Amino acid sequence: MYAWTLIVVLLMVMALAYHLGRKRAIASAGGVTQINTLHSLPSYYGLYAAIWAGLPALLLMGLWFGFQDQIVTSLVTANLPAEMLDGQSSGRVGLILNDIKNLATGNIVSATVTPEVQAAADQYARLARIANWAMWLAVLAVAVGGMAYAWLRTEPQMRARNRVESIFKFIMITFSSIAILTTLGIVLSVVFESFRFFQMISPLEFFLGTNWSPQIALRADQVGASGAFGAIPLFTGTLMVSLIAMLVAVPIGLMSAIYLAEYAPRNVRSIAKPVIEVLAGIPTVVYGFFAALTVAPLIRDLGALAGLNVASESALAAGLVMGIMIIPFVSSLSDDVINAVPQSMRDGSYALGATQSETIRRVIIPAALPGIVGGILLAVSRAIGETMIVVMAAGLSANLTANPLDSVTTVTVQIVTLLTGDQEFDSAKTLAAFALGLTLFLVTLVLNVIALSIVRKYREQYE
Amino acid sequence: MNITVDEMEKMTGAMSSAELASERHSRTTVGDFTAADPRMTCRNVDVWYGSKQAINGVSLDIGKNEVVSMIGPSGCGKSTFLRCLNRMNDTIDGCRVTGSIQLDGQEIYDKSLDPVPLRAQVGMVFQKPNPFPKSIYENVAYGPRIHGLTNSKAELDELVESSLEKAGLWKEVKDRLDQPGTGLSGGQQQRLCIARTIAVSPEVILMDEPCSALDPIATAIIEELIDELRANYSIAIVTHSMQQAARVSQRTAYFHLGDLIEVGETNQIFTNPQHRLTEDYITGRFG
Amino acid sequence: MSKPTLNAPQAPVRRTIDIVNASLKRRHAQERRFRRIGAIAVALGLAFVVLLFADIVGKGYTAFQQTYLQLPIELSAEKIDPAGTREPETLSTADYMAPIRAALRQQFPEVTERRELRQLYSMVSVGAPQFLREQVMENPDLIGTTQEVWVLADDDIDMLVKGQIDRHAPEESRRVNDRMLGWVEHLEEQGRIEKRFNTIFFTQGTSREPELAGIAGALMGSFYTLLLTLILSFPIGVGAALYLEEFAPKNRWTDLIEVNVNNLAAVPSIVFGLLGLAVFIGFFGAPRSTPLVAALVMTLMTLPTIIIASRVALKSVPPSIREAALGVGASPLQTQFHHVLPLALPGMLTGAIIGMARALGETAPLLMIGMIAFIVDIPSGFTDAATVLPVQIFLWADSPERGFVERTSAAIIVLLAFLFLMNLVAVLLRRRFERRW
């Protein structure tokens, strides 16, 4: 918790800087009566000093947190006896380092503690302590230095307000760039790891192979020792579950949007619409629980009654529940686009003697079609990327099947399975998750871009 | 109808001059509101939007092969009255119509009367051209299709062509029937809407300021068209332009704050109005 | 014919109205059918909501009670505190299971065989001694007396008493055999079995034993995660929205940001988990399974929501306010901070609450960053290993014990209650401050 103390101390330094800067400005102008000779209000001089005291120090602290661990770790690694590292995969080294860190912080250690590891852990703890103290010193020094700089710069001619404002603007620009940094971070992290994966497994095998069994055997003589990374069964599984979901969500969502927008009396609409939208606010893990414990057994029992052999983790159960989840998504987007169709279209149709349903089917839906299609594409991208429902209710076995009563697995399920639990960062098994993640990201990105541009074009048409 | 002048003033929120108020209270319409060969007959029609009265005891006939124009200042109820004639007001919440409106002797506000065939007989053209976002052909074919008026593609083609012909649009669009109706110019769009209305062979056509969104040239074309259509249809047209009323109509009705003030031969209304309000409006003293 | 039809007029259009009238019946039937389909769709949507809630509540409400057995327990001084010092050290290390077992034997003296005894002992929870210890340490005067103590029952007994294990089912298909059933019924007759409010569920961390498992650890984990997420994402989101809406020049860079914000809002959440794993844990070496990393990931996830909501709020402030402020000589930034922001703040807060509600229910990305570790301790900071409520639900849902089903459902009820509360606050906030310009 030292970091939080430091932040509190830093905030106090900033408050002090504000106070001093303000007083200094008033004094430099020649007292309270003379403050109109200042360029800006005294509080801006105070803010200026506070920013100089706080911002560089905070930045330094952030950098320190970001890189302290890496530096300390590399120092410790360099000091480890060479025979511990020789001939070990980088994954093993990672595990050893993990042990050292756990030992140093007093956590549970997986392996037996050798003297070398103990020594390294002691060194790690020592270095971390030193680094911590050094950070305190450095951060406070920078804070005080910044305050002093602002103090020296304070004079009546200084354009304190403009400076403060340009700093604020700069901060806002930085904040808005975080969106780009996030995308960049996503792309870099998945692309980089996927690249390493594709060095081990050819992309051809990954995208066209039909056999998926990523478990790499511990001993070379075990069956399936190499693991197989043909992702086609995952893609078909994902598609099937999404398709079932859309078959549930699109008709129900669209028809209920139409009914609520065109037919329902106002009081029915004002109750039914928010109630259906409640479905959108329920966490996916709840749907997963519902699918796994209620819907899947129900479908299995019904299937047994009908003499069908239904897997206990059938694609149908996961797809049905995912469809329920997506209903409000489809219905609220459809509601938006249906309401965007101008009343004059309806009037034109009624004036020709069309009934309400003829108007809806032949005029409103065709007019709203681009918007509806855009909404459905967004929903599809939702379904493809949905994780918890399929993790809990779809299976793990990568069957290449077209039978919705069978168990299938999906891209997201496999990402979760491959990455949960202890992992070696460099095995093909772990990296495969990133290759799947890259595929998922690209597919949903393309769907989203197309959908958003269709919806935007549609909106412009009636604006 | 025991509404005081003051309440009426409050509700409509216009015309506070005491002089006007006392005059508008004389609710009897000046002139003869009947037609020689009536197609639609309206007697003592009141229209309410919730608790607000928009039309006040209007009686008016629309005769065969004639154009009746309705003029008056904004908010006088002429559009509301027009929308009563094919029950388009049904789509507005809280709108209530009393009195008698008959089409060929049949009460159209009868509880059990179906508005669908009524609207097939009484077509409507709106203020703003509102072609469907479909092709030109499909726009015209829409009415015949929903009513099942034709039995074959050839018949439908013929009907589309003759409707566009009657609307004076055929020459301009015959080579691009499959293009969207929304791509036409404003005047063409309005003629497309007229063609669409004609395609279901109505007996009465209602036009709600059909030229207000159009330029003078397009307006002139539409006005000519209205004159031609008179041969086969009865037409009621709401217009803001007195010149237009004078050019296209045989009879003119002047509306004021929900009352029908004066009806008569168009010539007579514009040259020799009987009522002060009519005269004031026509001479441009207000409105 | 009673129904009035429009008279067919004289030529030339006689045909049209006849055709129209002839097809009316079919068309109106079609209309009714269409309308009915719509009504069915709405009814289905509503039915799903009701079904979901009924299912969860039906499964979960029993978990708010827990079965206890009343046993006369002899807290003999020789066993617990032979030296008679009453030192906390001795008291806390004493064996409290033995007196409970003795009390059980005393209730059923006929049980002597080893296997049967083991079954008898299994009726109380393995956690029962811990609670007895707490009672004794709180009040050392109990030592040397025999007390009627309510002892925590095992989850199988709990399930049986709550009726979730069918007593009339054949013996081999139920987890509690006939002998144990007999003991339970004997105790019930004596009024020694009671269901009490389940405080353990709200005060304890998770456990392998259903009767000892609680959501306190997960709740605290969620609390720390959300707190940090809010601290990070709200200022960043508002700053970004302010810049994009009010200051940004229309150029490539801001276009790029716009597109990015909109697309990030639709990126699958699990991809954010991959980002967190690769960047925060893999690259920066942040500690796994902690609210810190979870909050960093959640911040990136909720930012688009907050930015979009904040921009809408800023848009709804009429330009006249800005013109008025600029007109009296305020700088653009002063205009924003003194006049526009205060007016837009309720809308921004609403967006933030909705973003937080979504973060509270989010599970998938947290699986990637190791929040699924089995952590019994209740976290007390941002860098303690922790789990969060939805992940706890996921973990419990995977457990085979019958007792975890009701606890999972109960945890879901708690989660939904929090979500409901947050959305309620957002709605009230919006209604309270909604302004029509």
Side-chain angles (χ1 to χ4, degrees):
Chain A
M1 290 305 282
Y2 280 121
W4 307 107
T5 338
L6 183 53
I7 286 178
V8 171
V9 171
L10 209 55
L11 285 176
M12 281 168 8
V13 172
M14 284 172 75
L16 180 73
Y18 176 83
H19 181 69
L20 289 179
R22 199 169 163 276
K23 267 179 75 174
R24 161 100 171 157
I26 295 172
S28 71
V32 184
T33 50
Q34 301 295 310
I35 54 169
N36 52 1
T37 62
L38 289 174
H39 171 268
S40 315
L41 291 173
S43 60
Y44 279 102
Y45 293 90
L47 271 180
Y48 179 73
I51 289 172
W52 265 107
L55 201 59
L58 269 177
L59 281 179
L60 178 70
M61 204 172 137
L63 285 177
W64 204 292
F65 271 122
F67 294 99
Q68 172 181 328
D69 184 68
Q70 286 189 332
I71 294 168
V72 171
T73 307
S74 65
L75 283 177
V76 171
T77 320
N79 269 357
L80 279 177
E83 66 270 18
M84 265 183 84
L85 303 177
D86 276 349
Q88 302 275 23
S89 73
S90 56
R92 285 290 306 154
V93 174
L95 283 184
I96 294 173
L97 284 174
N98 246 346
D99 274 352
I100 292 171
K101 280 183 208 174
N102 282 336
L103 200 58
T105 49
N107 279 337
I108 306 142
V109 183
S110 63
T112 48
V113 181
T114 60
E116 290 88 359
V117 170
Q118 185 64 51
D122 290 344
Q123 194 201 3
Y124 183 89
R126 198 171 57 247
L127 283 175
R129 219 167 25 245
I130 293 171
N132 203 12
W133 279 113
M135 180 180 73
W136 269 79
L137 275 180
V139 166
L140 285 182
V142 168
V144 172
M147 188 162 71
Y149 174 77
W151 169 273
L152 291 176
R153 292 287 306 271
T154 302
E155 52 185 21
Q157 293 81 32
M158 194 190 66
R159 296 149 61 88
R161 181 177 57 74
N162 305 46
R163 278 161 202 267
V164 168
E165 292 191 344
S166 54
I167 294 171
F168 267 111
K169 225 177 208 172
F170 179 77
I171 293 175
M172 289 196 298
I173 294 175
T174 316
F175 282 175
S176 37
S177 306
I178 285 181
I180 291 185
L181 284 181
T182 308
T183 310
L184 203 68
I186 290 174
V187 170
L188 282 185
S189 52
V190 292
V191 165
F192 185 65
E193 308 291 350
S194 304
F195 184 71
R196 284 169 50 186
F197 173 74
F198 287 130
Q199 282 179 329
M200 297 183 218
I201 311 286
S202 96
L204 229 55
E205 187 198 331
F206 181 71
F207 287 111
L208 299 175
T210 54
N211 183 17
W212 177 267
S213 59
Q215 296 307 324
I216 295 175
L218 295 173
R219 295 192 316 275
D221 55 334
Q222 271 178 318
V223 187
S226 58
F229 292 95
I232 289 282
L234 312 191
F235 298 150
T236 55
T238 307
L239 280 183
M240 193 203 287
V241 174
S242 306
L243 185 72
I244 296 170
M246 297 320 285
L247 286 179
V248 173
V250 171
I252 296 182
L254 189 58
M255 280 312 290
S256 57
I258 288 171
Y259 185 82
L260 291 178
E262 303 280 334
Y263 286 107
R266 193 168 299 169
N267 53 347
V268 172
R269 179 182 158 89
S270 67
I271 294 171
K273 202 168 134 65
V275 170
I276 289 180
E277 273 163 17
V278 161
L279 287 172
I282 294 176
T284 51
V285 68
V286 179
Y287 284 107
F289 178 75
F290 182 63
L293 271 91
T294 305
V295 177
L298 189 75
I299 289 179
R300 197 187 46 217
D301 294 348
L302 284 179
L305 276 182
L308 290 169
N309 187 19
V310 182
S312 61
E313 297 182 316
S314 59
L316 187 61
L320 272 179
V321 174
M322 196 188 283
I324 294 176
M325 181 191 86
I326 293 176
I327 288 172
F329 202 72
V330 175
S331 77
S332 69
L333 274 169
S334 308
D335 192 60
D336 282 356
V337 293
I338 287 171
N339 283 326
V341 176
Q343 180 64 29
S344 65
M345 294 291 136
R346 295 175 176 82
D347 282 352
S349 175
Y350 294 143
L352 289 168
T355 63
Q356 213 169 347
S357 66
E358 284 161 352
T359 305
I360 293 165
R361 278 183 294 134
R362 291 170 179 248
V363 177
I364 295 175
I365 303 252
L369 199 60
I372 293 174
V373 169
I376 291 176
L377 283 184
L378 279 180
V380 170
S381 132
R382 249 298 163 89
I384 291 176
E386 169 48 39
T387 309
M388 291 321 292
I389 295 177
V390 279
V391 165
M392 295 169 83
L396 287 175
S397 50
N399 296 328
L400 190 57
T401 172
N403 180 3
L405 302 178
D406 269 353
S407 154
V408 297
T409 192
T410 72
V411 173
T412 48
V413 171
Q414 288 303 318
I415 294 177
V416 170
T417 317
L418 294 175
L419 285 184
T420 46
D422 280 330
Q423 35 184 277
E424 299 171 49
F425 220 74
D426 285 359
S427 71
K429 187 183 150 196
T430 313
L431 293 177
F434 285 90
L436 291 173
L438 177 65
T439 319
L440 180 67
F441 178 69
L442 288 181
V443 169
T444 51
L445 184 71
V446 169
L447 279 174
N448 293 339
V449 169
I450 295 174
L452 288 175
S453 71
I454 291 179
V455 172
R456 193 176 320 123
K457 282 226 183 74
Y458 169 76
R459 293 248 162 83
E460 279 160 7
Q461 183 190 332
Y462 288 118
E463 255 164 21
Chain B
M1 269 188 282
N2 44 6
I3 286 186
T4 65
V5 177
D6 277 20
E7 278 173 40
M8 197 65 201
E9 291 285 357
K10 241 180 274 163
M11 282 184 287
T12 51
M15 291 287 155
S16 55
S17 148
E19 186 194 18
L20 285 178
S22 68
E23 284 208 7
R24 66 163 300 290
H25 200 234
S26 55
R27 214 173 290 125
T28 30
T29 303
V30 177
D32 180 15
F33 53 76
T34 59
D37 184 5
R39 178 113 284 172
M40 297 196 82
T41 51
C42 312
R43 293 295 176 269
N44 297 318
V45 176
D46 291 340
V47 181
W48 299 76
Y49 289 127
S51 63
K52 185 183 155 163
Q53 190 168 15
I55 299 281
N56 191 4
V58 168
S59 299
L60 183 66
D61 284 358
I62 296 162
K64 206 174 171 188
N65 300 343
E66 74 165 347
V67 178
V68 179
S69 65
M70 305 174 188
I71 59 172
S74 303
C76 66
K78 52 196 190 307
S79 286
T80 301
F81 180 69
L82 193 75
R83 289 172 72 95
C84 292
L85 300 181
N86 68 344
R87 290 184 55 173
M88 280 303 284
N89 280 340
D90 288 12
T91 57
I92 298 167
D93 276 351
C95 178
R96 196 155 49 83
V97 180
T98 61
S100 155
I101 303 176
Q102 295 184 343
L103 171 65
D104 298 322
Q106 171 63 50
E107 196 62 52
I108 69 169
Y109 272 93
D110 191 298
K111 275 273 178 300
S112 52
L113 184 111
D114 189 349
V116 167
L118 166 71
R119 290 177 189 152
Q121 282 177 297
V122 184
M124 187 159 190
V125 176
F126 296 85
Q127 186 170 1
K128 222 178 118 211
N130 58 348
F132 302 130
K134 298 167 178 281
S135 70
I136 294 170
Y137 181 92
E138 284 301 324
N139 258 287
V140 182
Y142 178 76
R145 273 193 213 275
I146 55 170
H147 294 301
L149 295 185
T150 52
N151 295 319
S152 66
K153 174 85 172 100
E155 239 179 289
L156 186 61
D157 286 350
E158 204 176 304
L159 181 56
V160 168
E161 180 178 341
S162 69
S163 304
L164 283 168
E165 194 91 63
K166 279 186 212 157
L169 197 59
W170 176 249
K171 284 203 193 81
E172 291 159 60
V173 301
K174 66 174 183 237
D175 299 324
R176 45 174 175 149
L177 288 175
D178 55 345
Q179 294 194 2
T182 44
L184 297 172
S185 74
Q188 287 172 323
Q189 285 189 13
Q190 197 61 296
R191 276 180 284 153
L192 180 62
C193 292
I194 293 173
R196 188 173 73 184
T197 308
I198 296 171
V200 286
S201 337
E203 290 132 46
V204 182
I205 300 177
L206 311 173
M207 295 187 173
D208 188 358
E209 302 186 30
C211 300
S212 66
L214 305 182
D215 63 50
I217 295 167
T219 303
I221 297 173
I222 303 260
E223 283 178 5
E224 222 168 278
L225 176 60
I226 292 173
D227 205 46
E228 285 166 22
L229 291 174
R230 182 162 67 95
N232 296 318
Y233 309 95
S234 306
I235 296 174
I237 175 168
V238 163
T239 174
H240 251 124
S241 150
M242 282 173 279
Q243 290 84 345
Q244 185 170 66
R247 282 192 297 266
V248 300
S249 69
Q250 284 70 55
R251 286 198 305 144
T252 297
Y254 174 66
F255 282 74
H256 188 93
L257 293 182
D259 288 325
L260 177 55
I261 302 295
E262 186 169 353
V263 197
E265 296 292 321
T266 300
N267 277 339
Q268 176 255 315
I269 291 277
F270 282 101
T271 53
N272 185 21
Q274 302 297 302
H275 198 286
R276 260 286 301 285
L277 283 170
T278 321
E279 192 185 342
D280 285 352
Y281 182 71
I282 287 170
T283 52
R285 224 163 286 171
F286 66 83
Chain C
M1 223 173 123
S2 65
K3 194 174 163 168
T5 48
L6 290 162
N7 302 336
Q10 316 74 23
V13 281
R14 160 168 226 114
R15 244 186 88 230
T16 302
I17 191 63
D18 286 343
I19 296 169
V20 173
N21 279 332
S23 67
L24 273 181
K25 213 170 147 187
R26 180 181 52 81
R27 287 169 67 193
H28 282 301
Q30 212 172 34
E31 170 77 23
R32 277 192 300 276
R33 196 157 56 235
F34 188 78
R35 202 183 164 124
R36 207 173 305 133
I37 293 172
I40 290 171
V42 173
L44 272 176
L46 296 178
F48 286 141
V49 179
V50 173
L51 196 70
L52 194 65
F53 277 89
D55 183 55
I56 304 271
V57 173
K59 280 200 177 102
Y61 78 97
T62 48
F64 294 110
Q65 286 197 319
Q66 167 66 37
T67 307
Y68 285 82
L69 311 176
Q70 193 191 34
L71 296 173
I73 292 177
E74 190 199 349
L75 298 160
S76 91
E78 306 90 79
K79 294 259 174 62
I80 294 170
D81 188 14
T85 55
R86 297 288 190 270
E87 267 174 27
E89 184 97 357
T90 14
L91 293 189
S92 72
T93 51
D95 180 8
Y96 290 92
M97 195 49 146
I100 295 175
R101 287 183 173 172
L104 276 171
R105 277 199 306 273
Q106 192 196 336
Q107 286 294 311
F108 301 100
E110 72 277 9
V111 182
T112 48
E113 201 212 329
R114 254 184 103 111
R115 239 191 48 206
E116 288 185 20
L117 270 177
R118 208 179 307 133
Q119 278 178 1
L120 183 63
Y121 297 157
S122 77
M123 286 175 65
V124 298
S125 164
V126 292
Q130 181 199 331
F131 296 103
L132 187 58
R133 176 191 302 131
E134 277 165 21
Q135 275 178 326
V136 170
M137 291 188 62
E138 218 165 83
N139 184 8
D141 294 343
L142 295 177
I143 297 172
T145 63
T146 299
Q147 293 288 327
E148 290 287 338
V149 178
W150 287 100
V151 176
L152 186 63
D154 186 62
D155 60 315
D156 284 338
I157 305 301
D158 187 38
M159 291 295 103
L160 185 76
V161 171
K162 285 173 180 168
Q164 307 217 15
I165 292 177
D166 184 9
R167 296 183 190 207
H168 306 295
E171 186 176 8
E172 57 273 22
S173 68
R174 80 174 115 83
R175 275 183 63 86
V176 179
N177 62 21
D178 283 347
R179 197 180 302 123
M180 290 171 83
L181 183 59
W183 295 332
V184 168
E185 279 170 355
H186 178 74
L187 287 174
E188 275 176 336
E189 276 161 28
Q190 295 187 322
R192 289 189 173 275
I193 288 189
E194 198 175 287
K195 283 186 288 184
R196 308 178 139 198
F197 181 70
N198 190 354
T199 45
I200 293 172
F201 184 69
F202 293 100
T203 55
Q204 302 292 309
T206 186
S207 167
R208 306 256 184 235
E209 304 295 326
E211 75 274 12
L212 292 174
I215 55 170
L219 273 181
M220 284 316 285
S222 279
F223 170 75
Y224 284 121
T225 305
L226 281 195
L227 182 68
L228 194 55
T229 306
L230 187 65
I231 291 174
L232 289 174
S233 65
F234 190 60
I236 296 179
V238 169
L242 205 55
Y243 179 73
L244 291 175
E245 194 61 36
E246 305 283 343
F247 296 105
K250 199 87 193 106
N251 59 23
R252 274 245 174 91
W253 182 248
T254 47
D255 275 355
L256 190 66
I257 295 179
E258 292 250 25
V259 171
N260 260 295
V261 169
N262 287 334
N263 277 320
L264 279 180
V267 166
S269 59
I270 191 170
V271 174
F272 283 93
L274 290 177
L275 167 79
L277 179 62
V279 174
F280 296 133
I281 294 178
F283 186 72
F284 286 113
R288 252 167 189 284
S289 314
T290 54
L292 176 70
V293 183
L296 288 175
V297 172
M298 290 297 179
T299 300
L300 298 185
M301 274 188 62
T302 48
L303 259 185
T305 313
I306 297 183
I307 292 178
I308 292 169
S310 300
R311 292 187 66 172
V312 171
L314 284 171
K315 263 193 199 117
S316 71
V317 177
S320 58
I321 302 272
R322 296 175 183 86
E323 283 155 13
L326 291 172
V328 296
S331 73
L333 214 72
Q334 285 172 324
T335 305
Q336 294 301 330
F337 279 97
H338 296 171
H339 300 282
V340 179
L341 261 190
L343 291 172
L345 204 58
M348 294 174 162
L349 278 176
T350 310
I353 294 173
I354 288 170
M356 289 305 112
R358 207 179 285 169
L360 175 59
E362 196 54 69
T363 322
L366 302 183
L367 303 184
M368 305 282 91
I369 55 169
M371 297 292 269
I372 51 167
F374 179 79
I375 293 147
V376 179
D377 295 332
I378 295 173
S380 59
F382 297 109
T383 47
D384 286 359
T387 189
V388 294
L389 197 50
V391 176
Q392 189 70 75
I393 290 167
F394 169 66
L395 291 173
W396 282 356
D398 243 10
S399 305
E401 286 92 349
R402 185 71 185 75
F404 271 123
V405 173
E406 63 165 32
R407 276 167 177 79
T408 312
S409 307
I412 289 176
I413 294 173
V414 173
L415 176 65
L416 291 178
F418 274 109
L419 289 176
F420 177 76
L421 220 65
M422 290 169 87
N423 281 296
L424 188 71
V425 170
V427 169
L428 291 181
L429 201 67
R430 189 179 299 156
R431 208 167 283 170
R432 169 82 178 69
F433 289 99
E434 194 168 53
R435 242 181 255 235
R436 296 228 173 265
W437 300 95

